[in-house]
Amino acid sequence: MKAAAFSYARATSVVNALELLVAHGDKAKVLSGGQSLMPAMNLRLVSPELIVDVGQIAELRGIAVRDDIITIGALTRHVDLLRSPEIAAHAPLLTEAVAHIAHPAIRNRGTLGGSLAHADPASELPACMVALNATIVISGQAGERRIAAEDFFTGIYETALSAQELLISVELPVARKNAAHFFCEFARRHGDYAIAGLAAQAIVEKDVLADLRLVFFAVGDRPVLAKAAAKLVKTAITPAVLSDASTALGEELDPQDDQQASASMRRHLAKVLLARCTSALLGRSDLNAGGPV
Ligand SMILES: Cc1cc2nc3c(=O)[nH]c(=O)nc-3n(C[C@H](O)[C@H](O)[C@H](O)COP(=O)(O)OP(=O)(O)OC[C@H]3O[C@@H](n4cnc5c(N)ncnc54)[C@H](O)[C@@H]3O)c2cc1C
């Protein structure tokens, strides 16, 4: 199938893009890398009257580190994240996670801003943003607003962005010296969307988790910042403590059935990920008795 007819405008600046979005309201759609929007248009899941192409706006590109904050422009492509020495040094969770997004052809065009605005609950980057405590920077006619990543994702393909706003950049705190991270996903084939995944960031002090952000994806309508993490923080972790956290996680998650997996399979995989993550963060293989995948 082909997309319905549409008009096209190449925005020359953020201000120009916002003018176009305000003038056309719900009838316009922003185009970044096109790796989600174009398939959706070809399937006629969306049929915008106007495409506002922001792909040439230089001010939306780039990675900068200043005052312990990493700022990543919305147009930064997946491949740029993957190859960035700044990201590898200061947000290594992202380097690891991006390698799981699709395939090189898609990573060469797909962008961070597009992935976050698209808000697929099985996507890697939204979960990483919540795990890394990112701030999402949004621009609209009334000016700029900043929103915590955990408040940005509001449902399946839904975010706090309005149709007249542009996602500009994200800001991440530089990883602390005693920070550790974990990323793992289960997918049918490498590059497929995850059936269940976990992005986590922790502070490890003397074999104890002083802080832990566990963010599961593909097991809910948005990235899930697990409350069960609290059971693993500031305590000596025994198999019994982990088992207690695992039970709490199972009760907290509300995954859905689809063609890929049942809800109970997803819940099971999330518990396996929890055990692997705790074991890896603390370097304790005894905690990953885990059970079969
Ligand atoms: C075969 C295939 C496999 C894929 N596998 C994966 C995968 O495993 N994991 C994964 O996470 N993704 C996957 N993707 C999606 C891919 O990562 C996309 O690149 C990404 O989701 C969207 O980025 P984009 O720049 O292409 O956005 P676009 O397609 O250009 O836009 C996506 C949506 O975001 C909006 N948007 C874009 N930029 C902005 C902005 N700056 N401000 C406001 N709104 C904006 C658009 O209007 C549109 O609604 C896959 C895609 C394909 C085709």
Side-chain angles (χ1 to χ4, degrees):
M1 214 192 301
K2 287 223 162 72
F6 58 89
S7 303
Y8 172 90
R10 175 170 285 176
T12 51
S13 64
V14 169
V15 171
N16 178 223
L18 292 175
E19 283 166 359
L20 288 163
L21 292 176
V22 168
H24 294 272
D26 287 348
K27 298 188 172 88
K29 271 276 185 197
V30 175
L31 175 73
S32 285
Q35 299 304 293
S36 295
L37 182 61
M38 297 321 291
M41 286 173 64
N42 287 340
L43 291 167
R44 305 223 175 171
L45 297 172
V46 288
S47 297
E49 289 177 11
L50 175 71
I51 291 290
V52 179
D53 184 353
V54 298
Q56 301 297 315
I57 303 179
E59 61 196 287
L60 294 178
R61 279 185 201 287
I63 299 168
V65 184
R66 201 168 41 217
D67 297 336
D68 287 343
I69 298 288
I70 313 168
T71 303
I72 312 175
L75 274 185
T76 306
R77 299 170 308 157
H78 305 328
V79 68
D80 303 324
L81 293 174
L82 193 60
R83 293 182 183 160
S84 161
E86 289 91 354
I87 296 293
H90 301 302
L93 172 66
L94 276 186
T95 310
E96 206 171 314
V98 169
H100 293 264
I101 301 176
H103 308 286
I106 289 151
R107 295 200 291 264
N108 286 342
R109 299 194 79 94
T111 66
L112 172 65
S115 178
L116 302 183
H118 187 57
D120 188 316
S123 271
E124 291 81 0
L125 290 175
C128 290
M129 291 302 132
V130 179
L132 295 173
N133 226 341
T135 301
I136 314 283
V137 183
I138 296 169
S139 202
Q141 287 261 302
E144 220 168 72
R145 65 189 179 107
R146 300 170 128 70
I147 180 162
E150 61 187 275
D151 299 324
F152 179 75
F153 302 100
T154 54
I156 301 179
Y157 306 124
E158 282 179 13
T159 70
L161 271 172
S162 83
Q164 283 84 42
E165 289 178 316
L166 209 55
L167 197 159
I168 297 294
S169 62
V170 303
E171 295 171 350
L172 304 173
V174 162
R176 283 166 48 180
K177 283 210 174 66
N178 50 356
H181 71 275
F182 174 88
F183 183 90
C184 184
E185 69 178 45
F186 295 117
R188 297 263 170 218
R189 298 166 303 186
H190 184 84
D192 282 3
Y193 275 103
I195 297 172
L198 171 58
Q201 164 116 320
I203 301 295
V204 185
E205 283 171 2
K206 295 186 187 147
D207 299 330
V208 168
L209 297 170
D211 187 34
L212 177 62
R213 289 175 76 83
L214 295 172
V215 185
F216 290 87
F217 55 101
V219 294
D221 68 352
R222 67 195 85 177
V224 181
L225 178 61
K227 295 188 183 69
K231 296 196 174 281
L232 300 170
V233 169
K234 295 181 184 150
T235 186
I237 298 181
T238 61
V241 169
L242 180 57
S243 169
D244 191 27
S246 185
T247 304
L249 177 69
E251 287 164 4
E252 178 181 353
L253 295 180
D254 184 21
Q256 301 297 306
D257 291 320
D258 64 18
Q259 300 103 316
Q260 292 227 68
S262 64
S264 65
M265 178 174 164
R266 288 199 154 91
R267 200 175 269 115
H268 170 72
L269 292 177
K271 290 180 178 184
V272 172
L273 288 167
L274 176 67
R276 287 190 185 180
C277 173
T278 313
S279 163
L281 289 173
L282 294 172
R284 286 190 37 203
S285 54
D286 62 304
L287 294 174
N288 192 23
V293 170

